[in-house]
Amino acid sequence: MAQTVLVSGGAGFIGSHVTVELIQAGYDVIVADNMSNCDKTCLLGARKITGRKIPFFKVDFCNRNAVERLFQANKIEAVIHFAAFKAVGESVEQPVMYYRNNLDSFLNIIDVARTHGCRNILFSSSATVYGQPEELPVTEESPRQEATSPYGNTKQICEDILRDSVKAYGNVRGIALRYFNPIGAHPSALIGELPRGVPNNLVPFITQTAIGKRECLSIFGNDYPTPDGTCLRDYIDIVDLAKAHVCAVSRMMEDKMKEPYEIFNIGTGRPVSVLELVNAFQKVNGIKLNYRFAPRRPGDVTAVWADPSKANKELGWKAERPVEETLRAAWNWEKYIAKK
Ligand code: WQD
């Protein structure tokens, strides 16, 4: 009998890709989402890719009774928690909404899961917890910097909630995956990133500019102390990222954890600049992108990229997809949704 994984926020960009990889690795998946930040495009795409019905429940994870009903109705052996608000700028304007939503939902999941014998909790964390690191590349031992936004702070607090719950309750163990910059789309072009309104993130803004939805891409700052003056990031392909979640779930389910609470950086280990990414997108897709250099964006860090060796060694996972392939998939996805 396949083991069942609950993917909270599973109708979203990362959640839907993880759902596909889990099913293709032999797990059963239940998707629960409050649909506040996405429509059913990616859920339907995941069903098409896998050929599976994939049970879906509309759930507000801040409603503890709803979470209770979910666990009563399903035998869940592990939870991957994505359900959270994630717009950095919006979190600065709406801190209470962000703390309420992102913390209450996670507290409910941990509390209800453990009372139903589900002891495996995988938390979707972020490299944003490192802020602007003193030393690069970033390892899991690199100190977390004070969060520069309520969004980033909720990631740090949720890591601490998981760490303290593991310590306090004998029946919880957890893994936090710190993603760097997830980009791209599934090679089928049936699932991908669907930002609401004007995209905050770079790659969806690039693809929307290329398709004509946006007039011009602004590159925020070309006067940084970097080789070409633009910021450096560690862009991790979304399918590679999704596969890391399968490795982490298996590590928990197969009792291979070395500590009851573990943290892994999920990145390529390769810094890429904004301008390099823009040029790679143009080259691989044969497109001339309309862009301009604009002032720096407040809150941006100059450079951050991972040392992924712990995940490579312990999870047996490594980023494999070349960035050119990722950018081709991102463009194919943009063209697919433009036709819908
Ligand atoms: C990347 C680079 C921008 C848009 C954020 C969150 C992080 C995670 C990933 C959720 C920066 C530049 C961007 C644009 C640009 N999200 N840029 N023009 O800020 O590194 O990380 O998203 O978990 O938590 O903090 O990603 O894609 O917004 O920016 O020049 O229109 O692209 O300045 O240098 P970021 P990003």
Side-chain angles (χ1 to χ4, degrees):
M1 174 78 171
Q3 295 168 304
T4 300
V5 181
L6 166 64
V7 179
S8 80
F13 170 44
I14 302 176
S16 56
H17 284 82
V18 168
T19 295
V20 166
E21 297 307 320
L22 282 168
I23 289 170
Q24 292 181 339
Y27 290 100
D28 283 340
V29 172
I30 289 172
V31 168
D33 201 305
N34 70 359
M35 307 307 285
S36 65
N37 197 24
C38 64
D39 61 22
K40 285 208 167 175
T41 302
C42 289
L43 177 65
L44 299 174
R47 285 176 174 162
K48 208 163 170 192
I49 295 165
T50 59
R52 299 274 293 276
K53 171 85 180 67
I54 310 178
F56 167 74
F57 299 85
K58 191 168 189 292
V59 171
D60 173 4
F61 285 91
C62 292
N63 176 340
R64 186 187 165 121
N65 292 335
V67 181
E68 187 66 44
R69 284 193 297 274
L70 191 62
F71 277 83
Q72 276 165 358
N74 300 278
K75 172 120 184 58
I76 295 164
E77 275 107 345
V79 183
I80 306 183
H81 182 56
F82 294 106
F85 295 153
K86 61 157 197 160
V88 173
E90 184 185 50
S91 78
V92 173
E93 290 149 23
Q94 311 254 7
V96 171
M97 183 178 90
Y98 267 69
Y99 285 112
R100 173 88 62 216
N101 182 68
N102 291 6
L103 302 184
D104 277 3
S105 53
F106 195 42
L107 288 165
N108 284 337
I109 283 211
I110 290 183
D111 221 9
V112 172
R114 71 186 194 88
T115 51
H116 285 265
C118 170
R119 54 190 301 222
N120 305 303
I121 310 284
L122 177 51
F123 175 62
S124 156
S125 191
S126 167
T128 202
V129 304
Y130 295 116
Q132 176 55 71
E134 303 283 311
E135 287 178 25
L136 288 165
V138 175
T139 71
E140 290 80 358
E141 285 64 51
S142 299
R144 295 187 318 188
Q145 307 270 348
E146 189 176 333
T148 53
S149 70
Y151 159 74
N153 206 19
T154 63
K155 288 298 182 187
Q156 293 194 19
I157 296 168
C158 283
E159 285 190 356
D160 296 347
I161 289 170
L162 184 54
R163 177 202 61 203
D164 296 345
S165 300
V166 166
K167 223 182 277 176
Y169 311 124
N171 60 352
V172 177
R173 55 192 178 184
I175 290 180
L177 296 185
R178 290 175 177 167
Y179 315 151
F180 283 69
N181 286 62
I183 62 169
H186 194 266
S188 67
L190 291 171
I191 52 177
E193 197 164 4
L194 255 182
R196 289 210 154 151
V198 180
N200 296 305
N201 295 133
L202 177 61
V203 171
F205 207 107
I206 288 176
T207 56
Q208 288 192 12
T209 303
I211 202 108
K213 266 176 92 169
R214 305 289 160 205
E215 177 57 36
C216 175
L217 166 74
S218 297
I219 294 182
F220 299 135
N222 65 331
D223 59 350
Y224 283 97
T226 60
D228 64 18
T230 64
C231 294
L232 293 168
R233 293 290 185 277
D234 184 329
Y235 294 100
I236 172 85
D237 177 85
I238 185 65
V239 175
D240 281 337
L241 176 66
K243 290 179 188 297
H245 289 73
V246 179
C247 296
V249 163
S250 305
R251 182 180 178 86
M252 292 197 279
M253 300 275 225
E254 294 159 19
D255 294 322
K256 290 181 178 157
M257 295 176 78
K258 291 188 173 150
E259 299 293 333
Y261 175 61
E262 295 179 321
I263 296 171
F264 295 98
N265 284 343
I266 303 299
T268 65
R270 288 188 304 279
V272 172
S273 80
V274 176
L275 194 53
E276 284 170 332
L277 206 74
V278 167
N279 289 334
F281 179 85
Q282 295 185 103
K283 185 160 182 266
V284 79
N285 293 308
I287 287 171
K288 181 84 187 75
L289 205 62
N290 184 22
Y291 69 85
R292 70 185 180 100
F293 292 110
R296 295 182 178 190
R297 179 172 69 173
D300 274 338
V301 297
T302 301
V304 58
W305 69 90
D307 169 350
S309 51
K310 183 183 173 189
N312 300 157
K313 179 169 173 280
E314 296 297 334
L315 294 182
W317 168 88
K318 193 168 170 49
E320 284 160 357
R321 221 171 172 199
V323 72
E324 292 74 16
E325 221 182 283
T326 304
L327 294 171
R328 188 176 295 116
W331 179 227
N332 291 338
W333 162 250
E334 188 66 54
K335 290 185 285 186
Y336 167 73
I337 46 175
K339 286 200 299 266
K340 277 174 68 72

